[in-house]
Amino acid sequence: MSGATHAGSRRTRRSLWINLGSFLGLLLLWLLVTTPIGEKPMVAPLFLPSPGSVWDTFLTLLRNGYQGKTLGHHLGISLYRFGIAFVVSVVVAVPLGLWMGMNETVKAVLDPPIEISRPMPKLALLPLLIIWFGIGELAKVVIIVLALFPILSISAMQAVRGVGRRKVQAALALGASRGMIFRRVIFPASLPGIFTSVRVCIGLGVTMLVGAEMIATSAGIAYMAMSASDFLLTNVVIVGALIMAALGYLLDLCARALENHVVHWGGKEG
Protein backbone atom coordinates (compact mmCIF):
# COMPACT_ATOMS: atom_id res chain seq x y z
CA MET A 1 0.00 0.00 0.00
CA SER A 2 2.83 2.37 0.89
CA GLY A 3 4.53 1.57 -2.42
CA ALA A 4 1.37 2.49 -4.34
CA THR A 5 1.06 5.72 -2.34
CA HIS A 6 4.69 6.59 -3.03
CA ALA A 7 4.23 5.91 -6.76
CA GLY A 8 1.11 8.10 -6.80
CA SER A 9 2.95 10.91 -5.05
CA ARG A 10 5.80 10.64 -7.54
CA ARG A 11 3.39 10.84 -10.48
CA THR A 12 1.76 13.91 -8.93
CA ARG A 13 5.11 15.67 -8.53
CA ARG A 14 6.04 14.77 -12.11
CA SER A 15 2.75 16.21 -13.38
CA LEU A 16 3.34 19.41 -11.44
CA TRP A 17 6.80 19.83 -12.96
CA ILE A 18 5.40 19.19 -16.45
CA ASN A 19 2.64 21.77 -15.85
CA LEU A 20 5.22 24.29 -14.68
CA GLY A 21 7.41 23.57 -17.70
CA SER A 22 4.44 24.08 -20.01
CA PHE A 23 3.71 27.51 -18.51
CA LEU A 24 7.38 28.51 -18.67
CA GLY A 25 7.58 27.38 -22.30
CA LEU A 26 4.64 29.59 -23.27
CA LEU A 27 6.13 32.51 -21.35
CA LEU A 28 9.49 32.03 -23.08
CA LEU A 29 7.81 31.96 -26.53
CA TRP A 30 5.91 35.15 -25.66
CA LEU A 31 9.16 36.77 -24.53
CA LEU A 32 11.01 35.77 -27.70
CA VAL A 33 8.46 37.19 -30.14
CA THR A 34 8.14 40.48 -28.23
CA THR A 35 11.82 41.14 -27.47
CA PRO A 36 13.44 43.59 -29.91
CA ILE A 37 15.90 41.89 -32.26
CA GLY A 38 17.89 44.64 -33.88
CA GLU A 39 15.52 47.58 -34.29
CA LYS A 40 12.14 46.03 -33.52
CA PRO A 41 10.55 42.81 -32.20
CA MET A 42 9.00 40.11 -34.37
CA VAL A 43 5.51 41.28 -33.31
CA ALA A 44 4.74 44.98 -32.85
CA PRO A 45 3.74 46.02 -29.28
CA LEU A 46 0.38 47.26 -30.58
CA PHE A 47 -0.55 43.66 -31.44
CA LEU A 48 1.30 41.81 -28.65
CA PRO A 49 3.02 43.72 -25.81
CA SER A 50 5.91 42.13 -23.94
CA PRO A 51 5.35 40.23 -20.67
CA GLY A 52 7.09 43.01 -18.75
CA SER A 53 4.83 45.65 -20.26
CA VAL A 54 1.71 43.62 -19.46
CA TRP A 55 2.93 43.09 -15.88
CA ASP A 56 3.47 46.86 -15.46
CA THR A 57 -0.05 47.47 -16.77
CA PHE A 58 -1.43 44.94 -14.30
CA LEU A 59 0.30 46.73 -11.41
CA THR A 60 -1.02 50.07 -12.67
CA LEU A 61 -4.56 48.68 -12.80
CA LEU A 62 -4.14 47.35 -9.26
CA ARG A 63 -3.16 50.82 -8.07
CA ASN A 64 -5.42 53.04 -10.15
CA GLY A 65 -8.21 50.75 -11.37
CA TYR A 66 -9.95 51.22 -14.71
CA GLN A 67 -12.45 53.94 -15.55
CA GLY A 68 -12.91 54.96 -11.95
CA LYS A 69 -13.38 51.45 -10.53
CA THR A 70 -10.77 49.22 -8.89
CA LEU A 71 -9.60 46.01 -10.50
CA GLY A 72 -11.04 44.13 -7.52
CA HIS A 73 -14.44 45.70 -8.20
CA HIS A 74 -14.37 44.57 -11.84
CA LEU A 75 -13.32 41.06 -10.80
CA GLY A 76 -15.96 40.91 -8.06
CA ILE A 77 -18.75 41.90 -10.44
CA SER A 78 -17.68 39.23 -12.95
CA LEU A 79 -17.47 36.58 -10.22
CA TYR A 80 -20.91 37.57 -8.95
CA ARG A 81 -22.47 37.18 -12.41
CA PHE A 82 -20.72 33.89 -13.07
CA GLY A 83 -21.38 32.51 -9.59
CA ILE A 84 -25.13 33.20 -9.60
CA ALA A 85 -25.57 31.71 -13.08
CA PHE A 86 -23.42 28.66 -12.34
CA VAL A 87 -25.13 27.84 -9.03
CA VAL A 88 -28.61 28.24 -10.54
CA SER A 89 -27.64 26.00 -13.47
CA VAL A 90 -26.21 23.23 -11.26
CA VAL A 91 -29.02 23.33 -8.68
CA VAL A 92 -31.77 23.12 -11.32
CA ALA A 93 -30.21 21.22 -14.24
CA VAL A 94 -28.50 18.36 -12.39
CA PRO A 95 -31.58 17.15 -10.42
CA LEU A 96 -33.67 17.54 -13.58
CA GLY A 97 -31.16 15.47 -15.55
CA LEU A 98 -31.15 12.78 -12.88
CA TRP A 99 -34.94 12.67 -12.99
CA MET A 100 -34.90 12.39 -16.78
CA GLY A 101 -32.43 9.54 -16.55
CA MET A 102 -34.67 7.59 -14.16
CA ASN A 103 -38.06 8.32 -15.71
CA GLU A 104 -38.81 7.68 -19.38
CA THR A 105 -41.94 9.84 -19.35
CA VAL A 106 -40.07 12.84 -17.98
CA LYS A 107 -37.32 12.25 -20.53
CA ALA A 108 -39.84 12.10 -23.38
CA VAL A 109 -41.35 15.42 -22.30
CA LEU A 110 -38.21 17.43 -21.48
CA ASP A 111 -35.46 15.98 -23.65
CA PRO A 112 -36.66 17.43 -27.02
CA PRO A 113 -36.79 21.11 -25.91
CA ILE A 114 -33.47 20.79 -24.12
CA GLU A 115 -31.83 19.14 -27.13
CA ILE A 116 -33.23 21.82 -29.44
CA SER A 117 -31.90 24.62 -27.25
CA ARG A 118 -28.42 23.08 -26.88
CA PRO A 119 -26.98 23.96 -30.33
CA MET A 120 -28.76 27.31 -30.47
CA PRO A 121 -26.23 30.22 -30.52
CA LYS A 122 -26.92 31.93 -27.21
CA LEU A 123 -25.34 35.27 -28.14
CA ALA A 124 -27.91 35.57 -30.93
CA LEU A 125 -30.55 35.73 -28.21
CA LEU A 126 -29.03 38.83 -26.59
CA PRO A 127 -31.45 41.33 -28.20
CA LEU A 128 -34.41 39.16 -27.16
CA LEU A 129 -33.12 38.85 -23.59
CA ILE A 130 -32.73 42.62 -23.36
CA ILE A 131 -36.36 43.04 -24.49
CA TRP A 132 -37.56 40.46 -21.96
CA PHE A 133 -35.37 41.25 -18.94
CA GLY A 134 -34.00 44.74 -19.58
CA ILE A 135 -30.35 45.73 -19.34
CA GLY A 136 -29.87 44.82 -15.68
CA GLU A 137 -28.07 41.86 -14.12
CA LEU A 138 -30.87 39.38 -14.82
CA ALA A 139 -30.26 39.30 -18.58
CA LYS A 140 -26.53 38.73 -17.98
CA VAL A 141 -27.22 35.81 -15.67
CA VAL A 142 -29.86 34.29 -17.95
CA ILE A 143 -27.59 34.13 -21.01
CA ILE A 144 -24.98 32.16 -19.02
CA VAL A 145 -27.66 29.85 -17.62
CA LEU A 146 -28.99 29.20 -21.13
CA ALA A 147 -25.53 28.02 -22.21
CA LEU A 148 -24.85 25.79 -19.19
CA PHE A 149 -28.28 24.29 -18.51
CA PRO A 150 -28.54 21.89 -21.51
CA ILE A 151 -25.02 20.50 -20.99
CA LEU A 152 -25.51 19.85 -17.27
CA SER A 153 -28.97 18.31 -17.61
CA ILE A 154 -28.09 16.06 -20.55
CA SER A 155 -24.83 14.95 -18.91
CA ALA A 156 -26.63 14.08 -15.66
CA MET A 157 -29.27 12.14 -17.62
CA GLN A 158 -26.62 10.18 -19.53
CA ALA A 159 -24.67 9.51 -16.33
CA VAL A 160 -27.75 7.88 -14.80
CA ARG A 161 -28.48 5.85 -17.92
CA GLY A 162 -24.87 4.65 -17.92
CA VAL A 163 -25.14 3.06 -14.47
CA GLY A 164 -24.72 -0.71 -14.75
CA ARG A 165 -27.98 -2.66 -14.53
CA ARG A 166 -26.28 -5.38 -12.52
CA LYS A 167 -25.65 -2.95 -9.67
CA VAL A 168 -29.32 -1.97 -9.55
CA GLN A 169 -30.49 -5.58 -9.82
CA ALA A 170 -28.11 -6.62 -7.04
CA ALA A 171 -29.48 -3.87 -4.80
CA LEU A 172 -33.07 -4.94 -5.59
CA ALA A 173 -32.21 -8.56 -4.79
CA LEU A 174 -30.91 -7.43 -1.41
CA GLY A 175 -34.25 -5.73 -0.68
CA ALA A 176 -33.24 -2.10 -1.20
CA SER A 177 -36.02 0.43 -1.78
CA ARG A 178 -36.09 2.76 -4.81
CA GLY A 179 -34.96 5.67 -2.64
CA MET A 180 -32.08 3.68 -1.23
CA ILE A 181 -31.06 2.49 -4.71
CA PHE A 182 -30.89 6.11 -5.87
CA ARG A 183 -28.93 7.28 -2.81
CA ARG A 184 -26.54 4.32 -2.57
CA VAL A 185 -26.15 3.15 -6.19
CA ILE A 186 -27.40 5.48 -8.93
CA PHE A 187 -26.34 8.87 -7.58
CA PRO A 188 -22.80 7.85 -6.51
CA ALA A 189 -22.24 6.08 -9.85
CA SER A 190 -23.43 9.19 -11.71
CA LEU A 191 -21.14 11.63 -9.89
CA PRO A 192 -18.04 11.18 -12.13
CA GLY A 193 -20.08 12.07 -15.22
CA ILE A 194 -21.72 15.00 -13.45
CA PHE A 195 -18.37 16.39 -12.31
CA THR A 196 -17.02 16.11 -15.85
CA SER A 197 -19.89 18.23 -17.15
CA VAL A 198 -19.39 20.70 -14.30
CA ARG A 199 -15.77 21.18 -15.31
CA VAL A 200 -16.75 21.64 -18.95
CA CYS A 201 -19.33 24.21 -17.91
CA ILE A 202 -16.81 26.19 -15.88
CA GLY A 203 -14.84 26.94 -19.03
CA LEU A 204 -17.98 27.59 -21.05
CA GLY A 205 -19.40 29.82 -18.32
CA VAL A 206 -16.29 32.00 -18.22
CA THR A 207 -16.47 32.27 -22.01
CA MET A 208 -20.16 33.22 -21.91
CA LEU A 209 -19.33 35.85 -19.30
CA VAL A 210 -17.79 37.84 -22.16
CA GLY A 211 -21.11 37.74 -23.99
CA ALA A 212 -23.00 38.62 -20.81
CA GLU A 213 -20.86 41.71 -20.30
CA MET A 214 -21.63 42.90 -23.83
CA ILE A 215 -25.02 43.97 -22.45
CA ALA A 216 -25.03 47.56 -21.21
CA THR A 217 -22.68 47.59 -18.22
CA SER A 218 -19.84 49.62 -16.80
CA ALA A 219 -18.02 46.98 -14.75
CA GLY A 220 -16.56 43.50 -15.13
CA ILE A 221 -13.28 42.00 -16.34
CA ALA A 222 -14.65 41.16 -19.80
CA TYR A 223 -16.18 44.63 -20.05
CA MET A 224 -12.80 46.12 -19.14
CA ALA A 225 -11.04 44.17 -21.89
CA MET A 226 -13.65 44.96 -24.55
CA SER A 227 -13.74 48.62 -23.59
CA ALA A 228 -9.94 48.84 -23.74
CA SER A 229 -9.95 47.32 -27.24
CA ASP A 230 -11.95 50.32 -28.50
CA PHE A 231 -9.01 52.54 -27.54
CA LEU A 232 -6.32 50.09 -28.77
CA LEU A 233 -5.13 49.56 -25.17
CA THR A 234 -3.72 46.13 -25.97
CA ASN A 235 -2.00 45.82 -22.59
CA VAL A 236 -5.30 46.18 -20.74
CA VAL A 237 -6.99 43.72 -23.13
CA ILE A 238 -4.31 41.10 -22.44
CA VAL A 239 -4.48 41.70 -18.68
CA GLY A 240 -8.24 41.14 -18.83
CA ALA A 241 -7.86 38.01 -20.96
CA LEU A 242 -5.21 36.57 -18.62
CA ILE A 243 -7.37 37.28 -15.58
CA MET A 244 -10.28 35.47 -17.24
CA ALA A 245 -8.00 32.54 -18.11
CA ALA A 246 -6.63 32.39 -14.56
CA LEU A 247 -10.16 32.57 -13.16
CA GLY A 248 -11.29 29.63 -15.29
CA TYR A 249 -8.18 27.61 -14.42
CA LEU A 250 -8.50 28.22 -10.66
CA LEU A 251 -12.20 27.34 -10.69
CA ASP A 252 -11.38 24.14 -12.57
CA LEU A 253 -8.72 23.28 -9.99
CA CYS A 254 -11.32 23.78 -7.24
CA ALA A 255 -13.76 21.49 -9.10
CA ARG A 256 -11.04 18.87 -9.50
CA ALA A 257 -10.16 19.04 -5.81
CA LEU A 258 -13.84 18.70 -4.86
CA GLU A 259 -14.23 15.77 -7.25
CA ASN A 260 -11.18 14.00 -5.80
CA HIS A 261 -12.63 14.48 -2.30
CA VAL A 262 -16.22 13.48 -3.10
CA VAL A 263 -15.64 10.85 -5.80
CA HIS A 264 -12.66 9.28 -4.06
CA TRP A 265 -13.41 5.90 -5.63
CA GLY A 266 -13.14 7.25 -9.19
CA GLY A 267 -11.02 4.97 -11.37
CA LYS A 268 -10.74 2.34 -8.62
CA GLU A 269 -13.80 0.26 -9.41
CA GLY A 270 -13.24 -3.18 -10.78
Side-chain angles (χ1 to χ4, degrees):
M1 188 70 172
S2 60
T5 303
H6 179 70
S9 176
R10 189 167 53 196
R11 283 195 299 269
T12 301
R13 287 198 302 270
R14 182 174 179 272
S15 296
L16 289 174
W17 280 111
I18 292 174
N19 290 341
L20 180 61
S22 177
F23 279 119
L24 290 177
L26 290 173
L27 182 61
L28 180 61
L29 178 62
W30 182 9
L31 191 62
L32 286 174
V33 299
T34 56
T35 299
I37 301 174
E39 295 183 1
K40 56 183 180 180
M42 294 173 60
V43 180
L46 176 63
F47 301 107
L48 184 62
S50 67
S53 175
V54 171
W55 176 251
D56 291 340
T57 300
F58 173 68
L59 295 178
T60 301
L61 289 171
L62 276 179
R63 290 193 301 268
N64 305 326
Y66 181 78
Q67 293 192 353
K69 297 181 177 68
T70 66
L71 189 60
H73 177 80
H74 286 291
L75 179 58
I77 290 294
S78 292
L79 278 172
Y80 169 78
R81 290 165 180 157
F82 173 84
I84 293 294
F86 189 79
V87 169
V88 168
S89 299
V90 171
V91 168
V92 177
V94 171
L96 188 64
L98 294 173
W99 192 20
M100 290 166 60
M102 297 178 62
N103 190 305
E104 286 294 333
T105 303
V106 175
K107 177 181 180 296
V109 172
L110 297 179
D111 189 46
I114 292 176
E115 284 286 2
I116 290 172
S117 68
R118 183 170 58 88
M120 188 180 298
K122 306 306 182 292
L123 292 180
L125 299 177
L126 267 176
L128 188 61
L129 294 178
I130 293 173
I131 293 172
W132 286 352
F133 304 112
I135 60 175
E137 295 299 320
L138 183 56
K140 299 173 180 59
V141 170
V142 168
I143 193 170
I144 300 175
V145 171
L146 287 176
L148 306 188
F149 188 91
I151 296 174
L152 287 168
S153 57
I154 292 171
S155 297
M157 179 186 71
Q158 291 301 122
V160 170
R161 297 174 73 84
V163 176
R165 290 174 177 252
R166 290 183 180 180
K167 295 180 180 180
V168 177
Q169 290 169 350
L172 286 171
L174 292 172
S177 64
R178 290 179 62 87
M180 186 177 294
I181 290 173
F182 175 77
R183 292 193 306 271
R184 299 292 180 87
V185 179
I186 294 176
F187 183 63
S190 303
L191 280 175
I194 292 171
F195 268 105
T196 298
S197 66
V198 165
R199 290 181 56 194
V200 170
C201 285
I202 286 174
L204 178 60
V206 172
T207 302
M208 289 303 301
L209 187 60
V210 177
E213 294 187 353
M214 288 172 61
I215 305 172
T217 185
S218 59
I221 294 297
Y223 157 79
M224 182 184 78
M226 290 187 293
S227 171
S229 68
D230 294 336
F231 304 101
L232 297 180
L233 300 175
T234 315
N235 284 10
V236 177
V237 175
I238 292 179
V239 168
L242 290 176
I243 290 175
M244 297 284 283
L247 174 62
Y249 185 66
L250 289 174
L251 289 173
D252 183 71
L253 287 179
C254 291
R256 269 193 257 179
L258 181 61
E259 180 180 9
N260 291 335
H261 177 72
V262 175
V263 194
H264 52 82
W265 62 87
K268 300 175 183 177
E269 293 180 303

